[in-house]
Amino acid sequence: MTILVTGGAGFIGSNFIFHMLAKYPDYRIVCLDKLTYAGNLSTLASVMDNPSFRFVKLDICDRQGVYRLFEEEHPNMVVNFAAESHVDRSIENPEVFLQTNILGTQVLMDACRKYGIDRFHQVSTDEVYGDLPLDQPDLFFTEDTPIHTSSPYSASKAGADLLVLAYHRTFGLPVTISRCSNNYGPYQFPEKLIPLMIANALNDKPLPVYGQGLNVRDWLYVEDHCIAIDLILHRGRVGQVYNIGGHNEMRNIDIVKIICAALGKSESLITHVTDRKGHDMRYAIDPAKIHNQLGWLPETKFADGIRKTIRWYLDNREWWEEIISGEYRNYYERMYGGR
């Protein structure tokens, strides 16, 4: 079995590679990554010498390069993590999101049609559903919830999802889609909420919280997400969408306060900044379908997952300090400096 993992030098993709190499030592894992700002080759250092692993620096929009890689490796499955994924960046520059997230997905599926594939799996997001009201906690996203996007990022992911389902219906491509809630855990790029707050708190820097921090997210520990995708690949039904949620709804402000307490930092570091344009209020997933069909449930409670995550960032300061000392600092100033 050869599995092509795109975007494998990013946060969730790298964790998925670690999971698959550990669980299936007889599988070959090929990682394709463009190594944009969020792709970090040092993340994969522990597996680079593994004979069952190959890394290829490549853009999924590069049709000739992708076809060449398919000719060399003949993957049985493709798991597409490759995506521009930060909402703020999509507001700054929507075009690159459309190119990578939609056209790049098309290139991958065209390669799958040309060379044959057992499964193409698209890793999507609950953000394609829009948001839910704060005053109706009994409402959840299901696979039948209409798509109602709020940002260029979520619109690009929804467009890719629709294209994937169209390739299944039109060309018979064997596809599955998963839509996950907010992930957290080791190796997350420090522009996202949890690693950003950990890094800033450790450096006694302001903790920028959008608006009043009342936005609610359903948090999913990254290892639980990887287990779910593994199950979908091996037992999921072709042509189906599966929602993957953590049953861990938390307000942003409460997460920041948990991090302050865990690190022994004062909540006076919290700084409320101008809210994001079109900021979704609440995400919450009903994972009943994947539970009923595949037996999956999240194993990691938020209290345990956040403790493990904070410990990882404490033990791996070199990894994230190298990131925030580079180009990211300029971007960070553009995002938060004037607020």
Short mmCIF file of all heavy atoms in Angstrom, two decimals, residues 21 36 84 147 192 214 245 311:
data_model
loop_
_atom_site.label_atom_id
_atom_site.label_comp_id
_atom_site.label_asym_id
_atom_site.label_seq_id
_atom_site.Cartn_x
_atom_site.Cartn_y
_atom_site.Cartn_z
N LEU A 21 2.79 5.70 9.78
CA LEU A 21 4.06 4.96 9.79
C LEU A 21 4.16 4.08 11.03
O LEU A 21 4.71 2.97 10.97
CB LEU A 21 5.23 5.94 9.73
CG LEU A 21 5.48 6.61 8.38
CD1 LEU A 21 6.55 7.68 8.50
CD2 LEU A 21 5.88 5.58 7.32
N THR A 36 5.30 26.01 1.99
CA THR A 36 4.96 27.43 2.16
C THR A 36 5.31 27.81 3.60
O THR A 36 5.93 27.04 4.33
CB THR A 36 3.47 27.67 1.92
OG1 THR A 36 2.71 26.92 2.88
CG2 THR A 36 3.08 27.23 0.52
N GLU A 84 -4.26 26.20 1.80
CA GLU A 84 -4.12 27.44 2.55
C GLU A 84 -5.25 27.43 3.56
O GLU A 84 -6.41 27.20 3.20
CB GLU A 84 -4.23 28.65 1.62
CG GLU A 84 -3.13 28.74 0.57
CD GLU A 84 -1.82 29.24 1.16
OE1 GLU A 84 -1.83 29.74 2.30
OE2 GLU A 84 -0.79 29.13 0.47
N ILE A 147 -24.30 24.09 3.00
CA ILE A 147 -23.06 24.87 2.97
C ILE A 147 -23.40 26.35 2.98
O ILE A 147 -24.28 26.81 2.23
CB ILE A 147 -22.22 24.49 1.74
CG1 ILE A 147 -21.60 23.11 1.94
CG2 ILE A 147 -21.15 25.54 1.45
CD1 ILE A 147 -20.85 22.59 0.74
N LYS A 192 -2.08 30.11 14.88
CA LYS A 192 -3.36 29.62 15.36
C LYS A 192 -3.50 29.91 16.85
O LYS A 192 -2.51 30.09 17.58
CB LYS A 192 -3.49 28.12 15.09
CG LYS A 192 -3.32 27.74 13.63
CD LYS A 192 -4.49 28.19 12.76
CE LYS A 192 -4.38 27.63 11.34
NZ LYS A 192 -5.54 27.91 10.52
N LEU A 214 -15.77 35.59 22.88
CA LEU A 214 -16.93 34.75 23.18
C LEU A 214 -17.21 33.72 22.10
O LEU A 214 -18.12 32.89 22.25
CB LEU A 214 -18.18 35.63 23.38
CG LEU A 214 -18.06 36.70 24.47
CD1 LEU A 214 -19.37 37.48 24.57
CD2 LEU A 214 -17.69 36.08 25.81
N GLY A 245 -15.86 15.57 14.91
CA GLY A 245 -15.90 16.59 15.95
C GLY A 245 -15.37 16.08 17.26
O GLY A 245 -15.31 14.87 17.51
N ARG A 311 2.59 21.01 27.26
CA ARG A 311 3.85 20.33 27.59
C ARG A 311 4.71 20.18 26.35
O ARG A 311 5.93 20.38 26.40
CB ARG A 311 3.53 18.97 28.22
CG ARG A 311 4.74 18.05 28.45
CD ARG A 311 5.91 18.72 29.10
NE ARG A 311 5.56 19.40 30.34
CZ ARG A 311 6.36 20.23 30.99
NH1 ARG A 311 7.56 20.55 30.47
NH2 ARG A 311 5.97 20.80 32.12
#
